Amino acid sequence: MGSSNSSQKSDNNLQEAEKSDFASLSENEWKKRLTQEQYYITRQKGTERAFTGEYWNTKTPGVYNCVCCDTPLFDSSTKFESGTGWPSYYKPIGNNVKTKLDLSIIFMPRQEVVCAVCNAHLGHVFDDGPRPTGKRYCLNSAALRLEPLERTRD
C-alpha cells in the first residue's frame, strides 16, 4: 500500500514540475515548438474557421491530446457531431482541462477552455451538449493532436 502512495506523490510532483516547465517557456520558445496556426490559436486565443480544422469531422478512435504539452484532453468516445464545424466533446478526461470566463466579445460572455497543464487556449464550452453532461466543449483542431488507438493484429 505504501508504494502506491509514494508513486502517487511522485506523479503529482512530476505533474507540478511539468506545469512549471511549460509556464516558464517564452513566447519565442512557443513559436519554435508550434506551427504559426497552432501558436495563434493556443497562445494568442485565436479561432480557426468552421469546417476547416483537421478534426472537425474525424471519427477515428483515440485520444485527443494538447498540441502544446501532449496532455490527454478528450477521448474520442465523448466526441459528437454538433453541426458547428469544430470538433465537439461532452466530457474531458479527468481534470486535464479547466475553464475561465472569457469577456473578449462584448455582451457575449463565454467560458474559455484551456489545458490545465500548459494553459493553452483550446476553445469554449457551452451548456447545449448531449447527455450525460449537457456540455459542448467546442475546440479548435489546431490545439489538438489525435493519438489513434492501436489496432490489434489478427
Side-chain angles (χ1 to χ4, degrees):
M1 284 195 296
S3 65
S4 68
N5 190 18
S6 63
S7 172
Q8 185 179 0
K9 283 183 181 177
S10 66
D11 287 349
N12 288 342
N13 290 341
L14 180 61
Q15 195 174 29
E16 288 304 315
E18 288 175 353
K19 284 183 184 180
S20 65
D21 288 347
F22 289 112
S24 67
L25 288 178
S26 71
E27 293 307 305
N28 282 336
E29 289 171 307
W30 281 120
K31 285 179 182 178
K32 289 177 189 173
R33 288 175 173 233
L34 303 169
T35 67
Q36 188 174 1
E37 181 181 32
Q38 290 168 337
Y39 178 81
Y40 167 68
I41 288 168
T42 62
R43 309 322 303 177
Q44 297 181 314
K45 300 182 182 193
T47 301
E48 62 198 9
R49 285 189 358 251
F51 303 102
T52 64
E54 181 178 1
Y55 302 126
W56 78 270
N57 200 26
T58 299
K59 302 202 182 356
T60 304
V63 174
Y64 291 86
N65 295 338
C66 177
V67 74
C68 294
C69 69
D70 212 31
T71 297
L73 302 173
F74 294 88
D75 188 274
S76 63
S77 65
T78 67
K79 190 171 191 276
F80 68 97
E81 178 54 51
S82 66
T84 62
W86 288 280
S88 298
Y89 310 82
Y90 62 81
K91 180 182 170 191
I93 295 173
N95 294 320
N96 292 350
V97 301
K98 59 186 180 179
T99 62
K100 54 187 177 182
L101 186 60
D102 175 1
L103 298 172
S104 62
I105 299 177
I106 299 172
F107 304 115
M108 192 174 133
R110 302 178 291 174
Q111 286 294 314
E112 178 186 10
V113 179
V114 298
C115 175
V117 173
C118 71
N119 211 37
H121 171 78
L122 305 171
H124 293 88
V125 63
F126 303 93
D127 291 325
D128 60 1
R131 290 180 181 217
T133 64
K135 300 291 184 188
R136 174 174 51 96
Y137 290 84
C138 191
L139 307 182
N140 292 286
S141 291
L144 306 171
R145 183 187 60 77
L146 173 60
E147 188 174 309
L149 285 179
E150 291 186 31
R151 295 183 182 176
T152 57
R153 295 183 188 175
D154 294 328

